[in-house]
């Protein structure tokens, strides 16, 4: 099952969470102490990330009479990794929270916790032959530019998948095949599941380098969802496409093209297209780029719709594409099934290898008009400014500011009559470091 904090999960009190983390650490420590001669390599890594956000129009246009939301969110991960001949293991507990979401009293301190401890990763890798590995368990699925399969790293909780993935890799060819089957529990009959979540996921990915500067990937995904939460019928949406990156001297060009077919979750036929392309030029410290993203939409909706032409970006990252103010995440509702076209231009000034400032200008339009959208396709202009500084090998800071200038069309789609200036600001600290590592020959 895909693990995402937005999904239903059990809540664990903070004290219980850290007791559990402590027990895991102690088990690993004493196991290493008494079986040192059996270990090939053991490592413990920690990631701490917190982010201050000021939301005054984030995810939806700001409205008159509302005040900006200000909060700090936090992610804490500790990863235990073990590797020996023919075996790899990784376990990553994770705690995500918002500062102040714990209930407190002056006399007893913290006594309630709205955050939760979750298992971000828990997988085993087993060597199969000279070039093959089989990975089983909860694991990230990150491929190409993360357009369709991603760890969704902007979210503090991220996203991982319960799956079995076979990986066969040589110098000239990489081939991965994976599958996942999700259930509500150890049921005795039927395979009912929430139709808003994935029931079955299978994929095939292959990558080849036709030339030294050219990388070409093929990806096919079969994504299945149940028709209702009380039936066994599963509808599969198929997605097939290519991703390519070409680097030549100071130029880099990347593009992807995906076609969707099969059935949507209501059983209608699907025929949809996603296309992205970007050209990047690097000469000295200034790196300009220009790109376009196109996600097809529907001209007809409701009972008049015979085929669904709205492309579903499945499990890809949202924040990296279509603007960081995140107005376009669920395209059925955010564009009224009209799809989206994004024309963008960016300037990235790299002060050094550790410090950069990038500004990206987006202009958004609907891909299609339909009875649910206004006649004007223009949605508006977004500007994103991001500053990054890696102050150490183990830590870095990032700050971003975005604003959006909407058209009447976007106001109508979002049902906002009296908007004010929409903006979003964040400041993020990330620390990632290895706290323990031991290697020994068997």
């Amino acid at each position: 099952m895909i693990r995402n904090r937005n999904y239903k999960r059990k809540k664990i009190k903070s004290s219980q969470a850290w007791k559990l983390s402590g027990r895991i650490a102690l088990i690993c420590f004493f196991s290493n102490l008494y079986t040192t001669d059996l270990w090939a390599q053991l490592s413990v890594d920690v990631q701490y990330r917190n982010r201050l956000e000021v939301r005054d129009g984030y995810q939806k246009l700001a409205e008159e009479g509302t005040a900006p939301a200000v909060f700090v969110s936090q992610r804490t991960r500790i990863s235990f990794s073990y590797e020996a001949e023919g075996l790899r293991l990784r376990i990553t507990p994770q705690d995500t929270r918002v500062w102040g979401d714990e209930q407190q009293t002056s006399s007893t301190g913290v006594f309630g916790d709205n955050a939760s401890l979750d298992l971000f990763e828990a997988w085993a890798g087993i060597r199969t032959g000279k070039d093959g590995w089989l990975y089983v368990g909860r694991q990230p699925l990150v491929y190409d530019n993360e357009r369709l399969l991603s760890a969704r790293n902007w979210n503090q909780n991220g996203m991982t998948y319960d799956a079995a993935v076979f990986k066969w890799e040589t110098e000239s060819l990489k081939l991965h095949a994976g599958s996942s089957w999700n259930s509500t529990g150890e049921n005795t009959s039927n395979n009912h599941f929430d139709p808003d979540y994935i029931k079955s996921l299978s994929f095939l990915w292959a990558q080849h380098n036709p030339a030294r500067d050219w990388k070409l990937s093929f990806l096919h995904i079969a994504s299945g969802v149940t028709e209702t939460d009380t039936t066994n019928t599963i509808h599969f949406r198929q997605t097939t496409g290519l991703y390519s990156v070409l680097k030549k001297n100071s130029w880099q060009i990347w593009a992807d093209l995906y076609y969707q077919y099969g059935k949507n979750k209501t059983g209608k036929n699907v025929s949809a297209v996603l296309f992205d392309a970007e050209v990047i030029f690097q000469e000295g410290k200034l790196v300009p780029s220009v790109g376009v993203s196109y996600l097809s939409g529907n001209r007809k909706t409701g009972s008049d719709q015979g085929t669904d032409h709205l492309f579903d970006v499945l499990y890809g990252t949202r924040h990296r594409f279509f603007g960081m103010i995140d107005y376009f995440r669920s395209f059925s509702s955010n564009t009224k099934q009209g799809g989206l076209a994004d024309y963008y231009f960016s300037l990235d000034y790299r002060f050094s290898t550790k410090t950069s400032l990038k500004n990206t200008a987006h202009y958004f339009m609907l891909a299609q008009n339909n009875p649910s959208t206004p006649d004007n396709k223009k949605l508006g202009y977004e500007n994103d400014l991001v500053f990054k500084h890696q102050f150490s090998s183990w830590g870095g800071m990032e700050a971003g500011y975005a604003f959006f200038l909407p058209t009447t069309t976007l106001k109508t789609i979002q049902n906002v009559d009296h908007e004010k200036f929409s903006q979003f600001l964040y400041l993020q600290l990330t620390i990632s470091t290895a706290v323990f590592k031991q290697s020994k020959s068997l």
Side-chain angles (χ1 to χ4, degrees), residues 160-301:
T160 51
Y161 308 76
D162 295 326
V165 181
F166 174 74
K167 300 181 180 182
W168 182 81
E169 298 184 359
T170 65
E171 291 185 2
S172 60
L173 179 64
K174 296 180 180 179
L175 181 65
H176 295 187
S179 187
S180 178
W181 178 264
N182 299 319
S183 303
T184 57
E186 298 180 358
N187 304 318
T188 56
S189 63
N190 293 314
N191 289 288
H192 299 163
F193 208 70
D194 191 325
D196 290 331
Y197 303 143
I198 178 177
K199 175 64 178 176
S200 173
L201 167 66
S202 298
F203 73 93
L204 176 66
W205 176 81
Q207 185 182 86
H208 176 59
N209 292 6
R212 186 182 63 179
D213 301 321
W214 183 19
K215 184 183 298 182
L216 182 64
S217 301
F218 167 85
L219 178 64
H220 175 79
I221 301 173
S223 174
V225 295
T226 55
E227 189 172 85
T228 71
D229 58 3
T230 58
T231 61
N232 291 310
T233 302
I234 303 175
H235 297 298
F236 283 89
R237 181 186 294 261
Q238 311 288 339
T239 306
T240 304
L242 297 172
Y243 170 76
S244 179
V245 179
L246 177 63
K247 296 181 180 180
K248 199 70 174 179
N249 299 322
S250 299
W251 293 89
Q252 177 178 320
I253 302 172
W254 69 265
D256 59 53
L257 176 62
Y258 298 102
Y259 176 65
Q260 280 185 344
Y261 50 101
K263 304 285 186 179
N264 66 12
K265 66 180 182 180
T266 64
K268 288 186 176 180
N269 291 328
V270 172
S271 179
V273 175
L274 173 67
F275 170 73
D276 300 287
E278 185 175 5
V279 179
I280 305 168
F281 177 75
Q282 181 172 0
E283 189 64 42
K285 295 184 176 182
L286 187 62
V287 183
S289 62
V290 60
V292 59
S293 294
Y294 177 84
L295 183 145
S296 65
N298 286 311
R299 292 180 179 174
K300 297 180 180 180
T301 58

Side-chain angles (χ1 to χ4, degrees), residues 20 41 50 70 74 109 163 169 178 294 321 328 366 376 378 432:
L20 179 58
Q41 181 171 296
N50 68 10
V70 182
Q74 180 175 306
E169 298 184 359
Y294 177 84
F321 299 95
F328 309 106
L366 292 172
N376 191 337
K378 297 178 180 179
S432 298

